[in-house]
Each structure stands twice: as C-alpha cells, then as structure tokens.
C-alpha cells in the first residue's frame, strides 16, 4: 500500500490548491468577465435572505452597520433634508456612506450597497452645493446642452459627497399648475420634456455606440446612476392634486406622459421610479400591465424599477392598512427595489413569507435582483465601492456656480416691457441717483431656491446655504454712485417721497414641496400684491415673480411697467441682475401656458378653450447693452 501514498498525497495537495483558488477567484468579482456571467455567478451563490436584502432600500437614520450586515441591505437613501449633521461637510458625508459600505462589504458575498439621494436641482440636500434653477425654469431655455452640463456638474457634486445614485430627473409633464410638483416638470409639452432628458447623459455619461437597447449605463466614478420619475402620468392628475388619479385614454397616456420614458431608456437610464398616482383608478405601484408588461417587456428596460417613499404602503387607503397585500401587489407588479424606508424588517418578513409560500414566485425575486446587480456591476460599484476625498473641491465650485448663473439668465421670461414697444423699461440703467428694491423675495435665498433645498419643504431666509440674493446681485451690478434702498414692504407714502429713479419689486410664492404645494388659488403670497400696488403706483417699476408655476398676475399687469417670470432660480441670483441690467438679453420662452384666471384650468396649448394671458412659447426679447 505504501507505494501509492506519494501520488495520493500529491492529488490531495492539488485538490486543496484548487479549493483555495476557487475560494480566492470568483467570476462575479472579475471585471473582465462579461456582465451576464458575473450576474449569473453571483445569483447562484445567493440565499433568499440575501436576495430580498438587495431589494430593500432603507433610510440612513436606520442604516446601522448591524442592520446592513444582518439583513444584507442593498440600498440606503437620504430622504429630503436627511443629513449626517447640520451643514455637514463633504468629508462628513463620505465618512457616513463609507461606514455603511464597509458593513455591506463585510457580508459573506460582499455585495456593495448603493446610496441614493434626491438631487433634483443640483445636490440640493447638501450645504454649500450649487443650487440650479428648478426644472420649470430650465424648460424655458429649450437648451438640452445646458441641462446636460447641469447633469455633469450635479454628478460631480453628488460624487463629491461619496454618493453614486440620484433620484432625478423628474420627467413629469405637468398639465395643471395647481399641482404642488409642477416646478419639477420642464413643461406642459412632452416634446420639451423629451428634449430635456439630455440631463441623463450629463448625470450618467454618454451611451457607447452599439449599446444594447434598455441596458443601463453609468460611465465610472465621476458619474451617477440616474432615475427617471415618476412612472407614469404623475403630471396629469385631476385638478393637479398630488398623488391623485390621472384620467386619460391609453393613447393619451402614450402621447403625453410616456414619450420622455422612451428617450430616457434610449439614453441608458439606470433606474425608473413608480408614481404614487393612479391611472384610471389603478395605482401605479400595483400596475403590472404598465410596469412589467409595458416598461420591462415591451420597452425592454433592463435597469431596476424602484418604488417611491413608502410607495407600497400607499397602495391601500388609508396607507399601510393591509401591508402584506401591498407587498404582494407592489412586488408582483414588477417593482424591484422598495424604498421602505424605516420599518424594513416588516417588509423583509412579509416578502420572505410570500416567497416561501409561493404567493410571489421565485422568478419575480430573481428578476428584481438581476436588475439591481446589473446596475451595480455596470456602474463599477464592485470595483470601486468606497468613496474617497478626491472630488470634495467640486462641491459648490466656482465653475458650477457660473453654470447655474448662465441657467438663471436663460430661464427668465420677459412678459411685459413698457406700455409700448418703443418705450421699454428694460434693460435698466446701472447709473441712477437712487433706486428702490422691495418685496418679500428680494433678499431671501431660501425663497428663490424653493422646495427641495437643504430640507424637503425648503426654507426661508439667508442662513440655509451659500449663494447670492437678488438684492445683493443688484448691489453688485449697479454703478458705485447709485444708491440702493431696500424696503421689504414699503407704504405708498414712503415710495412717493423717496424720489426713486425706478423700483425693482421681487415677490412670489413661499417654498413648498409635493402635496404641501397643491393650490387651488395660485396667488402671490401676501404682502406681495400690496407691495406691487404701493410701489408701482408711484414709481416706474419692474416686478420679478419668484414662483414654481404661473400664478395670478392679471390684476397687476396693467399697473406695472415690466414683468419678469424668474421661476425658482436657485442660489445664483446674480443671473437675474445680469439680464435686468442688460449685460445679457432676455431670451426665455414660456414652456407653460400662463392663465388669466384659475377657473380656466386645466388649460394647455392646443386645447379648444385656449385663452391665455400669455401663451405657450411667449417671451419678449431684449438685446444686451454696453453700459459703462
């Protein structure tokens, strides 16, 4: 027997070496392997618990290292205004994200988590980030290259804080300005919204030639995964009520609300978020026909579908009334990743039970996990899971602020300029004896940024982040000899006795987001109207309206000399002064119809009852002047 011992020993050693090699080399960790091979290799190693963990997205406040490890959590998010510390630095953000990531990487298979955040007009949760104009202003520019550059800048600022995934862009087609999210929509016209999906190319990078249709694409560490939202029809709800019912035919849905999704998928968008709203009474979060049959099967979308915040809960009314049914309906409809965001053990327990009892088939779980892993592999998350400090100087950089300022200039719409074309008020002279700046929104950075800025609903005042108010911009622009007097709400006597050369009145809406912005009256906030009457009754004036949508201005139009729609311009108020004083001309054209009275709503271009105050596409222009 002894003569066989050496070969046997050698054979055993070879087996051990093979086992060790197998332990160190796994296909899914090899970037040289084809995408499909990596996904398949990882999937065959995963338990049900690990798969359901991948489908679970939780809020950062509950994302402890233990939670990440024990439940194999696939994704974490910051809700609106959810930050690691007040006025947190990029380094603080990176440290938080990396702490969670280390926990994910310490699990058996080491699958990295993906951190997501709302970056809907720049990196809007983060202190000192550049805040760009909201989409309603960008639609006015009709400049897809501009929004692509904004996407590129936003990606860098988001990556500066260690985050690789954004819940943007919103490609809603807002058909009724009473909707509280109308400012998140580029236009009432789907063609403009389609044009503006170019922001996806900026966020994710340009799709390589010969890319397979529908496969997600993210071009490395300086780019982020994007999310087209909210699928589908969110901008068409009855009376503009948020999360309500969109009543429209299949052809109407396809013709108005769906087209921008075609463009987004063609550009390789990584994820798509379902809408809280319903289509003809059927909740989108439970709509198998539209999520699975149409989006995944017909349009060949290969990224992952994510729910909105507590979107499954809201399948029932009241929300969370029958959560196990909601899980079955939502996951069964084709939602791949669920933004839980807090009570994740309930979601995991319910989904696990349903799979084990054949209520939800394993094939549905595998579809979801394949899609999530596909995005993670494509964006290089397995190769580069940890963030570093190499991009921290990109946050709020001067280059990005200049880009935002350019966007402000191009998003302004001049609605009136003097009583007649031969007697325009604008551009204003920089050299004047004394000018008045008035109004609630003239010196209020929070108001000019609007909702989704630092906090979910937005803030008033000038302490929220860094930027330039319109008042400060005026002071920066006028001649050094010009006296600028600021009074938020002056009385008529003060204005009459002031001997002002002219006045700039800046009024509008307070910040709001989502349902809190739903409005049936669409009026300028008090004391705005009073300020307009007090000032414009006594001195030549330009009124600048800061709002997330067209608002009621018909009563004031005849009493003001010039009227400017500035939307929600963001942190770079200097862009407003650039155009008011003629360093640049007005070029913006309305991407929304401006109504006379709210009784006309909904009213969109092409409607039989179309009788606007200012029609879609309207906008006066001025030439730049060369003042000393």
């Amino acid at each position: 027997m002894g003569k066989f011992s050496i070969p046997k020993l050698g054979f055993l050693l070879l087996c051990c070496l093979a086992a060790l090699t197998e332990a160190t080399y796994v296909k899914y960790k090899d970037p040289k392997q084809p995408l499909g091979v990596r996904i398949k290799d990882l999937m065959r190693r995963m338990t049900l618990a690990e798969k359901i963990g991948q489908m679970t997205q939780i809020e950062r406040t509950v994302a402890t290292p233990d939670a990440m490890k024990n439940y194999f959590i696939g994704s974490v998010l910051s809700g609106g205004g959810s930050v690691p510390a007040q006025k947190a630095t990029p380094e603080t953000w990176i440290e938080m994200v990396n702490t969670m990531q280390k926990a994910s990487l310490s699990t058996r298979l080491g699958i990295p988590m993906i951190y997501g955040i709302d970056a809907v007009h720049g990196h809007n949760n983060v202190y000192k980030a550049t805040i760009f104009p909201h989409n309603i202003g960008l639609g006015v520019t009709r400049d897809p290259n501009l929004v692509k550059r904004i996407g590129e800048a936003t990606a860098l600022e988001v990556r500066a804080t260690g985050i690789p995934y954004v819940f943007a862009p919103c490609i809603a087609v807002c058909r009724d300005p009473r909707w509280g999210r109308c400012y998140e929509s580029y236009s009432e016209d789907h063609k403009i919204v389609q044009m503006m999906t170019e922001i996806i190319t900026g966020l994710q990078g340009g799709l390589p030639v010969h890319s397979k249709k529908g496969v997600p694409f993210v071009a490395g560490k300086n780019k982020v995964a994007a999310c087209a939202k909210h699928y589908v029809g969110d901008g068409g709800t009855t009376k503009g009520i948020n999360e309500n019912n969109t009543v429209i035919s299949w052809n109407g849905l396809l013709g108005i609300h769906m087209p921008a999704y075609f463009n987004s998928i063609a550009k390789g968008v990584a994820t798509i978020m379902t809408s809280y709203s319903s289509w003809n009474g059927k909740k989108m979060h439970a709509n198998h026909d539209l999520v699975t049959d149409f989006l995944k099967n017909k349009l060949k979308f290969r990224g992952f579908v994510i729910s909105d915040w507590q979107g499954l809960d809201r399948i029932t009314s009241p929300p969370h009334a029958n959560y196990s049914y909601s899980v079955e309906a939502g996951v069964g409809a084709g939602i791949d990743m669920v933004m839980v965001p807090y009570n994740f053990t309930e979601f995991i327990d319910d989904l696990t039970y349903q799979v084990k009892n054949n209520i939800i088939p394993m094939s549905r779980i595998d579809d979801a996990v394949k899609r999530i892993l596909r995005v993670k592999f494509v964006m290089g998350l397995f190769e580069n899971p940890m963030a570093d400090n190499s991009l921290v100087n990109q946050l709020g950089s001067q280059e990005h602020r200049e880009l935002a300022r350019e966007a402000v200039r191009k998003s302004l719409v001049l609605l009136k300029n003097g009583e007649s074309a031969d007697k325009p008020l604008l551009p204003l002279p920089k050299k004047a004896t004394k000018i008045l700046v008035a109004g609630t929104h003239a010196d209020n950075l929070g108001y000019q940024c609007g909702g989704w800025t630092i906090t979910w609903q937005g803030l008033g005042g000038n302490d929220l982040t860094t930027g330039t108010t319109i008042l400060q911009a005026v002071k920066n622009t006028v001649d050094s000899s010009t006296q600028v007097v600021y009074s938020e709400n002056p009385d008529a006597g003060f204005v009459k006795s002031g001997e002002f050369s002219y006045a700039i009145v800046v009024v509008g809406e307070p910040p709001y987001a989502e349902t809190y912005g739903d409005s049936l009256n669409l009026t300028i906030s008090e004391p705005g109207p009073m300020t307009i009457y007090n000032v414009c009754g006594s001195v030549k004036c330009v009124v600048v309206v800061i709002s997330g949508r067209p608002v009621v201005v018909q009563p004031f139009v005849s009493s003001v000399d010039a009227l400017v729609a500035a939307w929600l311009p963001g942190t770079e108020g200097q862009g407003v002064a650039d155009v008011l004083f003629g360093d640049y001309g007005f070029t913006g054209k309305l991407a929304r119809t401006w109504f006379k009275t709210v009784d006309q709503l909904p009213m969109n271009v092409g409607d039989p009852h179309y009788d606007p105050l200012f029609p879609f596409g309207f906008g006066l222009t001025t030439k730049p002047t060369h003042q000393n």
Side-chain angles (χ1 to χ4, degrees):
M1 293 292 289
K3 63 179 177 180
F4 297 109
S5 60
I6 291 171
K8 275 187 177 174
L9 188 62
F11 179 71
L12 283 168
L13 279 168
L14 279 171
C15 287
C16 289
L17 281 169
L20 280 169
T21 308
E22 173 66 20
T24 51
Y25 176 79
V26 287
K27 284 182 180 174
Y28 76 86
K29 289 189 176 177
D30 182 359
K32 294 189 182 74
Q33 290 287 345
L35 178 60
V37 171
R38 298 181 79 183
I39 294 169
K40 196 172 178 181
D41 181 61
L42 181 48
M43 290 282 294
R44 72 178 176 82
R45 299 168 190 273
M46 293 175 76
T47 64
L48 178 61
E50 285 164 334
K51 287 176 179 178
I52 288 175
Q54 283 303 301
M55 296 172 67
T56 308
Q57 185 181 64
I58 66 176
E59 218 284 327
R60 52 162 286 280
T61 48
V62 294
T64 62
D66 281 350
M68 301 302 293
K69 276 189 288 205
N70 297 341
Y71 294 94
F72 313 104
I73 298 298
S75 185
V76 182
L77 84 151
S78 275
S82 179
V83 296
Q86 291 305 304
K87 301 186 176 179
T89 62
E91 290 86 353
T92 303
W93 280 94
I94 288 167
E95 187 182 352
M96 175 192 73
V97 175
N98 280 347
T99 299
M100 295 169 190
Q101 191 65 284
K102 279 175 194 159
S104 292
L105 297 176
S106 73
T107 55
R108 184 177 74 90
L109 295 170
I111 304 172
M113 67 88 189
I114 183 171
Y115 197 104
I117 196 163
D118 287 285
V120 297
H121 60 142
H123 197 9
N124 52 260
N125 268 321
V126 175
Y127 183 59
K128 289 190 176 176
T130 309
I131 306 296
F132 293 92
H134 267 298
N135 288 356
I136 189 166
L138 297 180
V140 158
T141 70
R142 289 164 173 72
D143 186 344
N145 178 257
L146 175 70
V147 297
K148 179 186 174 183
R149 288 184 288 140
I150 288 170
E152 289 168 347
T154 301
L156 286 169
E157 298 211 9
V158 172
R159 282 287 194 170
T161 57
I163 295 170
Y165 176 30
V166 299
F167 307 124
C170 177
I171 54 171
V173 183
C174 174
R175 303 289 286 175
D176 193 324
R178 291 174 292 188
W179 186 36
R181 304 194 81 151
C182 201
Y183 64 74
E184 296 184 57
S185 166
Y186 294 107
S187 179
E188 71 190 44
D189 178 5
H190 69 83
K191 289 192 281 298
I192 291 177
V193 180
Q194 287 179 274
M195 198 190 292
M196 294 305 171
T197 59
E198 191 59 16
I199 195 168
I200 293 167
T201 308
L203 291 165
Q204 297 192 158
L207 207 57
V209 190
H210 309 308
S211 291
K212 204 170 168 189
K213 179 176 162 47
V215 174
F217 175 75
V218 183
K221 291 197 289 186
N222 290 357
K223 297 295 180 181
V224 293
C227 179
K229 65 185 192 184
H230 307 85
Y231 183 81
V232 59
D234 50 343
T237 58
T238 303
K239 294 185 180 174
I241 297 167
N242 193 40
E243 305 181 20
N244 202 11
N245 191 21
T246 297
V247 180
I248 194 169
S249 69
W250 171 238
N251 285 341
L253 191 76
L254 273 185
I256 295 171
H257 299 285
M258 196 69 81
Y261 287 94
F262 306 153
N263 298 73
S264 300
I265 293 164
K267 287 179 164 78
V269 74
T271 74
I272 289 176
M273 185 184 290
T274 37
S275 179
Y276 288 132
S277 58
S278 303
W279 175 50
N280 295 340
K282 176 84 172 172
K283 289 273 189 185
M284 279 307 310
H285 273 74
N287 196 319
H288 185 276
D289 291 346
L290 281 172
V291 176
T292 294
D293 294 345
F294 193 75
L295 179 62
K296 291 182 173 182
N297 297 344
K298 179 94 169 147
L299 299 185
K300 301 282 187 275
F301 173 62
R302 293 287 176 266
F304 68 78
V305 176
I306 185 168
S307 83
D308 207 334
W309 177 277
Q310 292 178 339
L312 293 199
D313 306 55
R314 300 191 206 187
I315 288 171
T316 59
S317 185
H320 207 83
N322 184 347
Y323 192 64
S324 61
Y325 164 75
S326 293
V327 171
E328 182 187 345
V331 175
I335 293 169
D336 304 311
M337 184 179 281
V338 174
M339 194 184 289
V340 179
Y342 298 116
N343 195 359
F344 59 91
T345 54
E346 181 188 25
F347 167 71
I348 289 169
D349 290 347
D350 277 5
L351 185 52
T352 304
Y353 173 85
Q354 290 179 20
V355 176
K356 285 183 174 174
N357 288 275
N358 298 317
I359 298 164
I360 289 179
M362 196 65 206
S363 58
R364 174 72 274 274
I365 302 302
D366 286 345
D367 171 58
V369 178
K370 270 180 202 162
R371 290 165 175 277
I372 293 162
L373 294 178
R374 184 177 291 129
V375 170
K376 289 183 177 185
F377 279 126
V378 159
M379 63 193 296
L381 209 52
F382 279 79
E383 287 68 59
N384 295 294
M386 304 300 288
D388 59 41
N389 292 357
S390 60
L391 293 174
V392 294
N393 64 337
Q394 294 289 337
L395 190 83
S397 73
Q398 193 53 42
E399 189 183 347
H400 297 165
R401 292 189 183 279
E402 288 300 326
L403 175 61
R405 182 173 168 180
E406 177 191 343
V408 174
R409 292 195 292 261
K410 290 179 173 175
S411 66
L412 304 175
V413 182
L414 181 57
L415 299 173
K416 181 180 179 182
N417 191 16
E419 287 308 312
S420 60
D422 57 345
K423 287 187 179 172
L425 178 65
L426 300 176
L428 298 167
K430 292 179 183 177
K431 202 164 190 173
T433 311
K434 185 163 65 161
I435 65 173
L436 173 65
V437 178
T440 46
H441 290 56
D443 190 32
N444 197 312
L445 194 62
Y447 280 11
Q448 79 189 36
C449 288
W452 289 111
T453 308
I454 305 301
T455 66
W456 176 39
Q457 291 295 321
L459 297 162
N462 293 332
D463 187 43
L464 71 164
T465 191
T466 50
T468 305
T469 67
I470 293 167
L471 172 66
Q472 189 57 55
V474 170
K475 289 177 175 176
N476 294 345
T477 307
V478 295
D479 188 86
S480 56
S481 65
T482 301
Q483 185 187 350
V484 179
V485 176
Y486 170 60
S487 176
E488 188 173 310
N489 184 25
D491 61 42
F494 172 83
V495 180
K496 278 183 185 138
S497 62
E499 297 183 348
F500 297 107
S501 306
Y502 57 83
I504 301 168
V505 179
V506 192
V507 292
E509 297 185 296
Y512 54 80
E514 299 191 44
T515 307
Y516 292 91
D518 286 358
S519 169
L520 293 175
N521 57 28
L522 295 179
T523 50
I524 289 171
S525 310
E526 292 295 347
M530 185 59 68
T531 308
I532 293 171
Y533 286 126
N534 286 347
V535 175
C536 300
S538 305
V539 64
K540 278 196 179 302
C541 78
V542 52
V543 172
V544 178
V545 179
I546 304 291
S547 66
R549 52 204 164 185
V551 288
V552 175
V553 294
Q554 192 183 30
F556 323 120
V557 174
S558 59
S559 60
V560 307
D561 298 283
L563 181 64
V564 175
W567 316 109
L568 297 168
T571 49
E572 307 314 301
Q574 191 64 49
V576 177
D578 285 344
V579 184
L580 287 180
F581 291 96
D583 290 332
Y584 294 82
F586 280 92
T587 56
K589 304 288 183 188
L590 288 178
R592 294 210 57 78
T593 297
W594 204 296
F595 57 86
K596 290 175 180 172
T597 69
V598 289
D599 300 337
Q600 296 174 295
L601 300 176
M603 178 176 65
N604 295 284
V605 64
D607 287 351
H609 66 292
Y610 199 66
D611 180 28
L613 182 61
F614 302 108
F616 175 90
F618 179 81
L620 303 172
T621 56
T622 60
K623 293 270 192 290
T625 59
H626 300 286
Q627 303 178 38
N628 295 323

